Structures are given as structure tokens and as C-alpha cells.
Amino acid sequence: MKPALIFIHKWLGISLALLFLMWFLSGIVLYYVPFPNLTQAERRAGLQPMALAADCCLTAEEAARRAGVAFTEARLAMAEEETPAWRLLVDTGNKSAPQWQTLDARTGARMAPLTSVQAMKVAEISSGRRALSAEGLERDQWTVPQGMDPYRPLFKVSLEGDDGLELYVSSTAAEVVRDTRRAERFWNWIGAVPHWIYPTVLRQFPQAWNQVVVWLSIPGVLLAATGLVLGIWQLFLNRSRWIPYRKFWMRWHHMAGLVAAVFTLTWIFSGLMSMNPYGVFSSRGLPTAERDRWLGADRGAVVTPQLALAAVAAREAGAQALELERLRIDGQVWYRIQGTQQRWWVRADDASAMPAVEPVLPDGWVSGTLQRVRGVDRSPASVTRIDRYDEVYYAKDPASAEALDTRPLPVWRAHWPDGTDLYADAASGKVLLRVDPSGRWQRLLYQGLHSLDFEPLRARPWLRDALVLILSLLGTALCITSCVIGWRALSLETESARHKGIAR
């Protein structure tokens, strides 16, 4: 038994030592410098104030009908050259991802994809800086995730300034969809890219990338597990001495392993769990049937955008709207109007002369809709309004602008007897999270073990940061000893094979 464990651990260590070292070093960088992302707050900061003429705009349904398209999402804002435009997420009717398309809100005519000059203008309006150049592309290192697919093709626009700011502009949505800076790109080349095995040449094929990471992680788990077993074996079952090795590197490898082996195993295993190998965890989004119940019957808006904005202006003097989003919940159509600091809701399928303006959707209606999401015969055990994060619904940085969009408070939480929880937000009109028992296991085995995302540590970020850094450095030390021992073992094997060849 022991010789077999030693054989497996030795050759897996020789094969994977450098990979483990890379994972630890790049993980430290990734912990402090995340992958580039344009937050909703940053996106809205680049929008122009909406200015609509009294007879300006069609509803999203009218514009889509004239253009001959069907949409699932719709947003109205000012496009380049101060043109009010509907941005529609259009189903292309094939296996490719839905695509954002832009329609002139006055006529419903499709707007042509941006040219490089127009993309530079969009970037200048968004950033307030002068554009230097624009490069057309389908994807690059910072836009390779599938989440960018509805916006392709893109323009990468370089802007003046010492920070090397580059904005990515969607040619079809006519808006900025990602930003990166020179320092951010540098640290990601030694952080997220190696840690996630994320080069564009591989990541552009999602299934192949997933399989590569999974099949590197599985032997990594086996390597860490065999090392842990051997370390304990030597510590407690060796009768002569706890540390049986006299050679410097073997001795320190054993001691470092005794300290670092447990969390090395949990980190590699939780990294494997992050890939949801072979679909062991369920999705955190709503299944189709539940999403259809949340949306309700399809209806059209009768209130024009300019009338909705006029209602907001009448309610609040000086209100400055940046974007109008059309949403459907439980068969009702609403406009969510986003301002610089505030948002307003206007019922869009109500034919009143001056529609009512609400700061959020009615709580009773939202909670009632949430109760029916899983069917009338599957009522939740409880529906409560929570104003504090819990063990699955939380934000890593509650004070950040991103948390206000992705993990706001308060929200409605519905709990079912089978262990399923749904979280709905009356301020955004969306179900933000769905967690079933498998999702709770993923929460523990991935976020918990990989990032130490446990409530006591989240409440003490300085302690969590210190633990992550110290444990990462210990893991790095273990990997350095592994690399040295592996190199020496491989050199000895090569030398032995050479001598055998000479002897023959």
C-alpha cells in the first residue's frame, strides 16, 4: 500500500509541481486584483441624460414590430449623435447566443453597426477623454468570456491618459461593455489568466477549457490527498522518528506538507468544484418554467417612454433620467427608469393619462408573485423580507457600488420545504438568486473552501485577508520544495537511464 502511494505521489508531483506553484502564486494576485469587469454603476456613469421630444419615441414592442424582430430584454437610452435608441436583446433563431441590436426609437429602423470612428465617439462620451485609436475584433484576452457574446463584434478603443485606459465598445449595442487599464492588465497576466488557465486560444472554446481545467484538477486532488496520507503516515506510524528524512529538501517538504497539506487539498478540490464538473450542482438561475411564471403572460406597453419620463419629472423636479428599461413581472409591464442617484418605476401597461410613479415595485405584489413561482401546488413554507445577508445571499464587499446592483438589500426570501430558497428584489424587479440543496453544497465546497467565504471571516476582512495570504505563502513554500525534489528525482532518473544505455 505505502509503496503504491509513494509511487503515485512522486510521479504526480514531478508532473504537477510547477502547476501547483503557479496556482498558488497567481491566486495571491487574483485575490487582490480581479478580472476586468465593467460594473453597472460604471456603465451608467457613461450614459448621456435622456432628452426626448414630446412626440419622440415608440414603445419597445412597436419598434420591434417595425424592425421584424422578437426580443427578451429592452433598454432605452441616448445613442451616439444624441439619438434615442432602443437596445433589444434579440433571439437570432439558431444555436448562437442572443444578440443586442439597436433600433432608432423614433422610427423603429435598425441602426447600422458602428464604424470605428463612431465607436471612438461613444468611448469619448463615456469616458470624457479623447480617443486615440480603435481596433475591431471579435474577442481578445479581456473579452473572451461567454457573457460578452451578445455584444460581439467589438471595438477596442485606446484613450489618452497615463493609466492606459482601453474601452470595449459593442458595434451592435452601441455602448461601452468593458474597460481595462494598464496596471489591471499587467496584474491579470500573472493573476487571473494563469490561475484560471485562461488564454484566449483555449478559453474561446468553453467546453474544451472546462475539460482541461477539470482534468488537471482531478490528478491535482489525488496528488494532494496522497501527500496528506503519506505525511500523516510518516508522522504517526514511524517508530524511529517523526521526521524520517535527513536531506534538507525532503525534510522541509515533509514539514511544509504537515502544515500546508490540508488547505492545499481543500483549495485544489474547491477549485475543481468551481468548474461544476459534469453538472453535479444545479444552476443558480431560474429554470424555464419558473422564469415563465415570474414573467407571466406576455403583454405590450401602452405608455410611451416620453410620457413615463414626463410623469417622473412631474413627481420630482430636476429628475435626470439616464436609461429606461422595460420589464415584465407577473404579466404586468413596467418601466424602470434609472437616474444618476435614484430610480423610478412606472406602470407601462396602464392607459392612465398620467401614470403613477413608484420608488420600488409594491412589496405585497412582489412577495405574492414569488410565492407562485414554483407553481400554485408548491407553496413556500415562508416568505420573509430580509435586510441582512445570510449564509448564501451575501456580497463580498457590501459597501461597493457593484453590491448595490448584484446583491442589494432588502430583498424577499421565499423558502420551500425541499430546501430551495429564492431571493427577489423589489427595487430591480428580478429574482437575483435561486439556491437548492446542491447549491448549498457548492456554496460550501467552492466559495467557502476556496475563498474562505465564511460569515465569521467576512465580518472580519482583515483576518480573512491575513489567513488567505499566510496560507497561500505556506502553500507556495510547499510547492517550491516539490519543484526542487521533482527536478532532482527526474534528473536522477534521466542519469540512471543514460548509464543503463551506456552499459548496454
Side-chain angles (χ1 to χ4, degrees):
M1 177 67 175
K2 186 176 179 181
L5 289 175
I6 293 174
F7 179 84
I8 293 172
H9 187 70
K10 172 185 174 180
W11 287 106
L12 284 178
I14 290 173
S15 303
L16 300 176
L18 284 174
L19 180 64
F20 269 56
L21 179 61
M22 179 271 289
W23 269 336
F24 271 105
L25 291 174
S26 60
I28 296 172
V29 177
L30 177 58
Y31 186 76
Y32 293 100
V33 185
F35 193 76
N37 181 44
L38 185 75
T39 66
Q40 287 299 309
E42 291 172 331
R43 184 186 68 84
R44 289 193 296 266
L47 296 177
Q48 305 174 71
M50 294 178 67
L52 305 182
D55 58 348
C56 163
C57 298
L58 305 171
T59 64
E61 294 87 348
E62 291 171 332
R65 191 178 306 114
R66 294 189 184 187
V69 298
F71 67 92
T72 55
E73 297 182 31
R75 295 181 284 115
L76 177 69
M78 305 303 292
E80 197 261 338
E81 296 181 353
E82 299 185 352
T83 301
W86 279 109
R87 294 184 173 99
L88 306 182
L89 187 60
V90 175
D91 187 352
T92 57
N94 52 41
K95 293 183 179 180
S96 62
Q99 296 289 316
W100 284 102
Q101 295 185 8
T102 308
L103 309 181
D104 189 321
R106 299 166 299 186
T107 64
R110 295 194 192 209
M111 300 177 70
L114 298 181
T115 65
S116 59
V117 174
Q118 291 172 321
M120 292 171 67
K121 181 64 174 177
V122 170
E124 288 179 338
I125 293 172
S126 177
S127 65
R129 302 190 192 184
R130 184 172 66 89
L132 303 177
S133 63
E135 173 191 357
L137 50 85
E138 189 69 19
R139 61 174 52 79
D140 67 0
Q141 186 60 66
W142 316 120
T143 58
V144 70
Q146 299 101 292
M148 301 297 295
D149 288 350
Y151 298 97
R152 306 187 199 280
L154 308 168
F155 284 100
K156 180 174 70 174
V157 181
S158 300
L159 295 123
E160 66 178 359
D162 296 334
D163 58 353
L165 176 63
E166 294 177 347
L167 297 183
Y168 290 84
V169 178
S170 168
S171 63
T172 57
E175 63 179 340
V176 174
V177 295
R178 178 140 297 177
D179 63 345
T180 69
R181 289 170 172 77
R182 185 181 297 110
E184 186 179 33
R185 295 190 293 270
F186 170 79
W187 288 112
N188 268 271
W189 276 116
I190 57 178
V193 175
H195 193 78
W196 294 340
I197 312 178
Y198 220 64
T200 306
V201 66
L202 174 63
R203 184 59 181 83
Q204 64 182 315
F205 305 107
Q207 293 182 344
W209 168 72
N210 181 281
Q211 291 300 305
V212 166
V213 177
V214 167
W215 283 104
L216 284 175
S217 300
I218 290 174
V221 170
L222 184 59
L223 170 61
T226 55
L228 179 60
V229 171
L230 288 170
I232 295 174
W233 196 323
Q234 296 284 31
L235 182 64
F236 291 106
L237 300 182
N238 191 300
R239 296 182 179 180
S240 59
R241 54 192 298 170
W242 283 12
I243 309 297
Y245 305 104
R246 296 184 181 274
K247 292 184 179 180
F248 177 85
W249 287 107
M250 287 296 295
R251 184 179 181 83
W252 278 103
H253 180 69
H254 186 223
M255 290 190 292
L258 292 174
V259 176
V262 172
F263 63 81
T264 298
L265 174 60
T266 60
W267 268 342
I268 298 302
F269 176 74
S270 58
L272 171 63
M273 292 299 99
S274 74
M275 303 305 297
N276 191 16
Y278 310 109
V280 296
F281 303 119
S282 57
S283 170
R284 293 197 164 194
L286 291 179
T288 301
E290 294 180 10
R291 183 177 67 250
D292 290 345
R293 292 190 192 99
W294 175 259
L295 295 176
D298 194 5
R299 298 177 64 181
V302 296
V303 175
T304 61
Q306 61 269 27
L307 181 59
L309 293 184
V312 171
R315 173 189 172 100
E316 188 165 339
Q320 189 176 67
L322 300 176
E323 187 174 55
L324 179 149
E325 183 178 8
R326 176 199 180 275
L327 294 169
R328 189 173 89 246
I329 305 107
D330 195 27
Q332 297 182 11
V333 181
W334 290 78
Y335 290 144
R336 184 178 68 162
I337 300 169
Q338 181 68 53
T340 52
Q341 299 293 333
Q342 296 174 278
R343 63 173 57 134
W344 306 271
W345 287 89
V346 175
R347 180 80 179 269
D349 57 5
D350 183 353
S352 302
M354 183 58 70
V357 178
E358 305 290 345
V360 296
L361 294 172
D363 277 336
W365 176 59
V366 172
S367 63
T369 304
L370 190 60
Q371 293 183 52
R372 298 187 295 273
V373 162
R374 302 190 70 198
V376 294
D377 56 339
R378 300 185 69 182
S379 298
S382 64
V383 179
T384 55
R385 186 175 183 266
I386 62 172
D387 54 12
R388 296 181 61 185
Y389 292 123
D390 60 23
E391 70 277 5
V392 293
Y393 182 83
Y394 66 92
K396 292 183 179 180
D397 183 5
S400 67
E402 185 175 11
L404 296 176
D405 283 308
T406 60
R407 290 292 183 266
L409 286 173
V411 294
W412 285 96
R413 178 180 63 197
H415 174 73
W416 277 262
D418 65 356
T420 300
D421 285 355
L422 269 63
Y423 298 80
D425 175 30
S428 66
K430 298 179 181 179
V431 177
L432 302 174
L433 181 64
R434 182 187 192 275
V435 181
D436 61 14
S438 79
R440 295 179 190 280
W441 278 109
Q442 186 181 34
R443 161 75 185 86
L444 170 65
L445 298 178
Y446 168 37
Q447 284 96 344
L449 294 180
H450 206 70
S451 304
L452 301 185
D453 264 343
F454 299 109
E455 176 56 34
L457 292 178
R458 287 202 310 272
R460 300 166 180 83
W462 61 271
L463 177 58
R464 179 169 172 253
D465 291 350
L467 282 174
V468 169
L469 182 59
I470 291 170
L471 295 177
S472 296
L473 291 175
L474 287 172
T476 300
L478 173 62
C479 292
I480 290 174
T481 64
S482 302
C483 289
V484 174
I485 293 170
W487 174 257
R488 290 186 172 185
L490 195 59
S491 299
L492 288 175
E493 292 286 341
T494 304
E495 186 68 17
S496 175
R498 187 175 69 83
H499 283 305
K500 289 180 180 179
I502 293 174
R504 289 176 184 173

